[in-house]
Amino acid sequence: MRRITCDIHIHARPEQVWDVLTDFARFHEWNPFLVEAEGRPEPGTRLRLRFRLPDSGKEMVFTPTVLTREEHRVLRWRGRFGVKGIFDGLHSFELTPVDGGTHVEQMETFTGVLVPFTGSVITQTDAGFRRLNEALKERVESLAAAKDGG
């Protein structure tokens, strides 16, 4: 098992962060890691996500299943490479109101027999999470500023 975690503070309400995070149709406009997303953030549905690994530019498509949606708080999905137990990823975004803004924690727990052999992919994924979080912060804060009149 291997876990990566990345967090960031965004100067906007959780509702504003949630709206950007779950607007999959617009990911291509701002998201440098999950460059394309299709589907609905509803438990039991499958998403189609295309991600781009930082530095290498390598892209992969996966179709995780949404497990949890707690409005303005938690979005969680599970993706698998092949069958269960080969290379599984449990991904989540958790939003917590803090100091008039939102603490966003993005996490993924990787399990399966291939995990010990995927170090560089997991390291690049960690870098991708950081870029996603920074882009999310920039997108949400710029939209919030525009809505509030600058």
Side-chain angles (χ1 to χ4, degrees):
M1 179 177 84
R2 184 148 175 215
R3 174 181 234 171
I4 55 178
T5 302
C6 180
D7 63 343
I8 197 162
H9 183 81
I10 298 177
H11 299 283
R13 295 183 323 276
E15 297 82 11
Q16 294 168 299
V17 176
W18 182 264
D19 288 348
V20 171
L21 192 59
T22 58
D23 187 0
F24 296 153
R26 295 193 183 276
F27 271 27
H28 70 279
E29 294 176 5
W30 64 270
N31 196 325
F33 183 63
L34 292 173
V35 295
E36 183 179 296
E38 298 173 9
R40 293 177 301 114
E42 299 293 338
T45 63
R46 290 192 78 106
L47 305 176
R48 182 183 182 280
L49 304 173
R50 182 166 53 98
F51 69 96
R52 181 178 300 138
L53 292 174
D55 303 324
S56 74
K58 183 176 180 179
E59 293 186 0
M60 293 184 247
V61 173
F62 64 108
T63 55
T65 300
V66 177
L67 302 175
T68 307
R69 174 196 172 117
E70 294 177 24
E71 193 82 9
H72 309 142
R73 293 192 55 233
V74 178
L75 180 61
R76 184 173 295 119
W77 62 67
R78 180 187 319 279
R80 291 201 162 105
F81 178 74
V83 297
K84 181 180 178 181
I86 300 296
F87 186 74
D88 301 338
L90 180 62
H91 189 97
S92 65
F93 291 94
E94 296 186 9
L95 284 57
T96 307
V98 175
D99 299 329
T102 304
H103 177 260
V104 177
E105 185 172 33
Q106 183 179 185
M107 296 171 279
E108 184 130 9
T109 302
F110 299 96
T111 57
V113 296
L114 290 182
V115 170
F117 307 102
T118 57
S120 65
V121 169
I122 293 175
T123 300
Q124 289 180 12
T125 299
D126 184 48
F129 283 10
R130 292 180 195 296
R131 290 182 183 176
L132 187 159
N133 280 8
E134 291 166 5
L136 177 65
K137 175 182 177 72
E138 182 178 324
R139 176 75 168 201
V140 171
E141 289 178 357
S142 66
L143 289 172
K147 186 175 183 179
D148 294 341

